[in-house]
Amino acid sequence: MIAIDQILISDEVVEEHFVCDLTKCKGGCCEDGDAGAPMEKWELEKLDQYFNEILPYMTEEGKAEVERVGKYTYDQEFGWVTPTINGGICAYGRKDATGTIICGIEQAYNDGKLDWKKPLSCHLFPILIRKSKRDPDVEYVNYHPREDLCKPGCKLGNKLKVPVYVFLKDALIRKYGEEFYETLAATAAEMKKKNNE
């Protein structure tokens, strides 16, 4: 376990390898789960602010679901989440010609329509972050790839020798800032050095 201030990071985040292989998994994490994508409170405001810009990138089914339940819903286990269509694909996702799920929020961001890439929980996956139940200031950062879905990503990461924290550098900086990431990278380098001695 690595501790940086109140953030506790599992060793797997620096020791395991991962590179998302969209050609194989087809963005399955956008439809395979117990709920929609968990969202932070400030992200709900972003969704409200930019909804009209995101709307053209959504499917008719996604639009209908948002009209039915709202732009986000509350889940007892995960808190605020994006809605899903019949418990499957995220309401903001759609499949392209290859069957790969494309995020409407990210597409709008890539086209310069908004300054918010997508929910942090999506950007960070397969890192999952949980707040401590005992101390709300403490967060646990764990590596949790899906057993079958993420096999191609684990395989590609091992082949390319890219640690999880390196693959998710941008997402980790979005969540915790540059200083946190530099500390994590320095700690990872120190751990690697010790393991090689």
Side-chain angles (χ1 to χ4, degrees), residues 178-195:
E178 292 269 2
E179 193 178 327
F180 167 88
Y181 187 82
E182 285 169 16
T183 304
L184 179 61
T187 305
E190 195 59 38
M191 286 171 68
K192 189 175 181 180
K193 187 179 164 188
K194 278 183 184 172
N195 288 339

Side-chain angles (χ1 to χ4, degrees), residues 166-181:
V166 172
F167 174 67
L168 293 171
K169 178 181 179 178
D170 291 346
L172 286 164
I173 289 172
R174 264 187 80 201
K175 173 69 175 167
Y176 294 119
E178 292 269 2
E179 193 178 327
F180 167 88
Y181 187 82

Side-chain angles (χ1 to χ4, degrees), residues 94-133:
R94 65 177 178 78
K95 292 188 178 181
D96 69 10
T98 68
T100 302
I101 298 172
I102 306 296
C103 174
I105 300 168
E106 188 170 17
Q107 270 202 304
Y109 169 84
N110 289 341
D111 287 347
K113 305 283 174 68
L114 48 140
D115 64 2
W116 172 56
K117 189 177 178 79
K118 58 183 168 183
L120 269 167
S121 64
C122 303
H123 200 185
L124 283 161
F125 190 78
I127 282 180
L128 300 180
I129 295 173
R130 296 277 183 261
K131 286 195 178 293
S132 166
K133 288 179 181 168

Side-chain angles (χ1 to χ4, degrees), residues 48-195:
D48 286 332
Q49 179 186 350
Y50 289 121
F51 183 71
N52 288 335
E53 283 75 21
I54 298 163
L55 205 53
Y57 297 90
M58 295 172 65
T59 62
E60 292 307 314
E61 294 87 354
K63 291 174 190 174
E65 188 61 20
V66 166
E67 195 165 310
R68 191 177 75 81
V69 300
K71 299 181 191 85
Y72 36 83
T73 59
Y74 192 81
D75 181 85
Q76 287 297 326
E77 185 178 349
F78 300 102
W80 292 105
V81 296
T82 59
T84 60
I85 301 165
N86 299 320
I89 189 171
C90 173
Y92 297 101
R94 65 177 178 78
K95 292 188 178 181
D96 69 10
T98 68
T100 302
I101 298 172
I102 306 296
C103 174
I105 300 168
E106 188 170 17
Q107 270 202 304
Y109 169 84
N110 289 341
D111 287 347
K113 305 283 174 68
L114 48 140
D115 64 2
W116 172 56
K117 189 177 178 79
K118 58 183 168 183
L120 269 167
S121 64
C122 303
H123 200 185
L124 283 161
F125 190 78
I127 282 180
L128 300 180
I129 295 173
R130 296 277 183 261
K131 286 195 178 293
S132 166
K133 288 179 181 168
R134 292 184 186 158
D135 184 347
D137 292 330
V138 172
E139 287 189 334
Y140 299 101
V141 178
N142 294 301
Y143 172 56
H144 276 296
R146 304 254 172 88
E147 193 172 337
D148 291 323
L149 185 66
C150 296
K151 261 184 193 165
C154 297
K155 191 175 177 183
L156 186 58
N158 284 326
K159 181 182 174 185
L160 300 175
K161 295 185 172 31
V162 177
V164 176
Y165 79 95
V166 172
F167 174 67
L168 293 171
K169 178 181 179 178
D170 291 346
L172 286 164
I173 289 172
R174 264 187 80 201
K175 173 69 175 167
Y176 294 119
E178 292 269 2
E179 193 178 327
F180 167 88
Y181 187 82
E182 285 169 16
T183 304
L184 179 61
T187 305
E190 195 59 38
M191 286 171 68
K192 189 175 181 180
K193 187 179 164 188
K194 278 183 184 172
N195 288 339

